């Protein structure tokens, strides 16, 4: 909100002992003051509104009605032109189904739009737009009850008066007659209060709390604090006959020495920790500390990506007056950890085991919500391998399908996106086309197979040299073989020991070769074509245990 502008539910105040003569002031529905401006400025605004909104009027748009060629015609859009509009006046709130905006949504006009603005619907090239021309004040004046005559009645909802120094407004849906006396008739609602009609009973004590709308005298220098649960309010302050009094609010000294025995209209609004006062038309701004004691709302907890030893917890829906900063996670009724993310992976769980999780949302001040709903995920009975992807590779490397890859140029390399972190294995099919070299490497770069070999270990599987064979190598060691009937191979690592295993039935594996060097840390699987031509894998999968 710009400093110096208060335009929420504005009304025109012309009580002469509060506002200087020949001027208007805007205050909110609850009496909060805003700008003061002259009659000349008001007339200039009205001329501007008239010039803007009267051009090109096509008629009055009516809410909630279907197309009718006479009473509610569909707009006939102009098809060209830079600033050509059809303009429809709007004097009722509601939905306007014949007018569709740029987002293909029905134009909607709220009661507040009607109350605070001149409203039109403009059509340009078949697209509707709601146009609001803000009014500096609404059409309702605050008048003194004793000044009203019979010709001023009836008063409809929203009309406001002051009677015996108390501010009243006609309630929603009511019509007040002269016999409906404020304070005795239910048609009136009090929006500015005082405890008595005797000014002497409105004296404020030093150290009082300003908790919304007040009207009182001050007879001495006075200090106030603000009830910060009430974000805005106003004071009508009347000094005694001596005047020259000081009013201090939240440590800010306010100059209200206009005239002795005269009223001053003071408003405040809190935006975050920014405190602004409006004393008649002058603004004072300061910053105050607002303690946060409001708890966040209850979060909603769901699960995703359940594996044999982990589960992801997803927290949504929690809100807070300042902001949610994190969550406390409970496992099986016991606090587990805190996180500032709304997605947290719980690890180190047991196979085929059910767990109970619930969370609390929290804010920066340490306020916490009630518990979320409870979720009861069950981990998988066994670990499941995943198919590997290879986004880092040379030019002749292509992915044919999930876990199936082809390399057509000799010694070009693909590097797996996923890695073996600790214990686990890489598994690949034995029925390759051509010859594929599978290797483990502790770097993610495209360093190719060569002489001397730089990968930590590798195996060549295929028939590219004229016979089915497997060549498994580590350092300078090499062993040749011509195995038959092998469906699958695995690089398996437990601790730092890596083995090559084989399976002839696709399920059970036996040792084929143990690599002599210890291989620790994160490992990437690398694929290469050692002899050129077409080389295609059967599948490649990874399992981290």
């Amino acid at each position: 909100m710009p400093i110096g502008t208060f335009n929420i539910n504005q009304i025109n105040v012309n009580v002469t002992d509060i506002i200087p003569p020949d001027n208007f002031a805007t205050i909110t529905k609850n009496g909060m003051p805003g700008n003061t401006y002259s009659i000349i400025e008001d007339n200039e605004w009205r001329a501007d509104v008239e010039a803007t909104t009267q051009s090109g009027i096509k008629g009055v748009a009516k809410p909630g009605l279907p197309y009718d060629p006479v009473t509610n015609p569909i707009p006939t859009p102009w098809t060209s032109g830079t600033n050509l509009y059809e303009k429809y006046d709007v004097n009722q709130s509601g939905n306007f189904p014949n007018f569709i905006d740029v987002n293909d949504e029905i134009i909607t006009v709220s009661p507040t739009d009607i109350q605070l603005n001149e409203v039109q619907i403009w059509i340009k090239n078949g697209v509707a737009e709601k146009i609001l021309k803000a009014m500096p004040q609404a059409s309702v004046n605050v008048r003194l009850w004793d000044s009203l005559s019979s010709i001023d009645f009836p008063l409809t909802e929203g009309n406001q008066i002051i009677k015996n120094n108390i501010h009243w407004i006609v309630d929603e849906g009511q019509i007040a007659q002269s016999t409906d006396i404020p304070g005795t008739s239910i048609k009136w609602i009090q929006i500015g209060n005082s405890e008595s009609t005797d000014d002497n009973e409105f004296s404020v004590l030093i150290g009082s709390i300003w908790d919304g709308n007040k009207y009182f005298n001050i007879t001495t220098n006075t200090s106030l604090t603000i009830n910060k649960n009430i974000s805005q309010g106003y004071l009508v302050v009347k000094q005694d006959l001596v005047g020259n009094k000081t009013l201090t609010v939240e440590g800010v000294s306010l100059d209200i020495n206009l005239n002795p025995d005269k009223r001053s209209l003071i408003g405040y609004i809190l935006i975050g920790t920014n405190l602004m006062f409006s004393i008649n038309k002058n603004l004072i701004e300061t910053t105050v500390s607002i303690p946060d004691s409001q708890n966040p709302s209850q979060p909603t907890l769901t699960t995703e990506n359940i594996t044999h030893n982990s589960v992801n917890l997803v927290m949504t829906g929690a809100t807070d007056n300042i902001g949610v900063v994190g969550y406390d996670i409970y496992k099986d009724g016991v606090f587990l950890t805190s996180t500032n993310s709304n997605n947290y992976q719980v690890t180190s769980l047991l196979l085929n085991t059910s767990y109970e999780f619930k969370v609390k949302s929290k804010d920066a001040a340490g306020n916490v919500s009630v518990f979320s709903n409870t979720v009861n995920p069950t981990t998988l009975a066994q670990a499941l391998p995943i198919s590997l992807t290879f986004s880092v590779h040379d030019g002749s490397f292509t992915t044919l399908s999930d876990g199936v890859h082809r390399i057509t140029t000799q010694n070009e390399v693909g590097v797996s996106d996923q890695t073996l972190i600790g214990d686990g294995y890489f598994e690949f099919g034995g029925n390759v086309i051509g010859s594929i070299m599978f290797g483990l490497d502790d770097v993610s770069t495209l360093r190719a197979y060569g002489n001397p070999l730089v990968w930590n270990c590798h195996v060549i599987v295929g028939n590219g040299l004229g016979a089915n064979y497997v060549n498994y190598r580590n350092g300078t060691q090499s062993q040749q073989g011509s195995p038959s009937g092998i469906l699958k191979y695995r690089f398996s690592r437990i601790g730092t020991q890596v083995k090559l295993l084989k399976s002839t039935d696709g399920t059970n594996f036996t040792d084929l070769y143990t690599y002599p060097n210890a291989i620790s840390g994160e490992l990437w699987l690398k694929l290469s074509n050692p002899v050129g031509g077409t080389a295609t894998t059967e599948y490649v999968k990874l399992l981290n245990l």
Side-chain angles (χ1 to χ4, degrees), residues 5-172:
T5 302
F6 297 91
N7 60 4
I8 306 172
N9 297 329
Q10 292 178 342
I11 59 176
N12 180 33
V13 177
N14 56 12
V15 180
T16 58
D17 60 352
I18 297 180
I19 305 299
D22 300 323
N23 284 271
F24 296 103
T26 58
I27 66 175
T28 71
K29 184 177 181 180
N30 293 323
M32 185 186 71
N35 293 336
T36 299
Y37 53 93
S38 68
I39 294 175
I40 295 175
E41 292 172 321
D42 181 68
N43 290 336
E44 290 175 348
W45 168 82
R46 294 184 182 279
D48 178 53
V49 170
E50 183 175 0
T52 303
T53 58
Q54 295 303 313
S55 174
I57 295 295
K58 295 283 289 185
V60 178
K62 299 179 181 180
L65 297 179
Y67 166 71
D68 183 275
V70 177
T71 62
N72 202 34
I74 294 177
T76 303
W78 288 315
T79 57
S80 63
T82 304
N83 292 306
L84 298 178
Y85 289 92
E86 296 175 326
K87 301 179 181 180
Y88 292 77
D89 284 332
V90 178
N91 52 31
Q92 300 178 63
S93 61
N95 296 323
F96 292 76
N98 290 341
F99 298 87
I100 307 299
D101 66 15
V102 69
N103 297 316
D104 203 30
E105 299 286 342
I106 293 174
I107 292 291
T108 299
V109 177
S110 70
T112 302
D113 291 337
I114 297 294
Q115 181 183 4
L116 300 182
N117 304 274
E118 297 286 353
V119 184
Q120 289 186 337
I121 297 177
W122 292 9
I123 310 295
K124 183 177 181 180
N125 297 331
V127 177
E129 180 182 5
K130 178 173 67 176
I131 302 298
L132 304 177
K133 184 67 174 180
M135 296 184 287
Q137 75 282 322
S139 60
V140 179
N141 291 328
V142 179
R143 292 173 288 176
L144 297 175
W145 175 264
D146 293 337
S147 70
L148 300 179
S149 64
S150 59
I151 63 174
D152 295 311
F153 292 92
L155 298 176
T156 58
E157 75 173 73
N159 275 266
Q160 302 181 36
I161 61 94
I162 293 177
K163 183 178 186 298
N164 296 332
N165 294 321
I166 302 177
H167 193 172
W168 301 87
I169 186 171
V170 178
D171 197 4
E172 183 177 357

Side-chain angles (χ1 to χ4, degrees), residues 318-390:
T319 59
D320 184 67
N321 61 317
I322 303 299
V324 174
V325 299
Y327 301 89
D328 291 335
I329 300 174
Y330 292 77
K331 184 180 91 172
D332 295 333
V334 179
F335 174 77
L336 175 66
T337 188
S338 294
T339 178
N340 58 7
S341 172
N342 61 0
N343 192 312
Y344 182 81
Q345 184 183 51
V346 182
T347 59
S348 302
L349 303 179
L350 301 178
L351 289 171
N352 195 28
T353 303
S354 179
Y355 294 90
E356 176 189 278
F357 293 99
K358 55 187 177 181
V359 300
K360 290 182 177 182
S361 56
K362 59 184 180 180
D363 61 20
N367 303 307
V368 296
S369 71
V370 298
F371 275 116
S372 69
N373 58 297
T374 299
V375 294
N376 299 96
T378 300
T379 54
L380 302 180
Q382 62 181 11
L384 299 177
I386 62 170
S387 294
L388 294 181
T389 57
F390 292 78

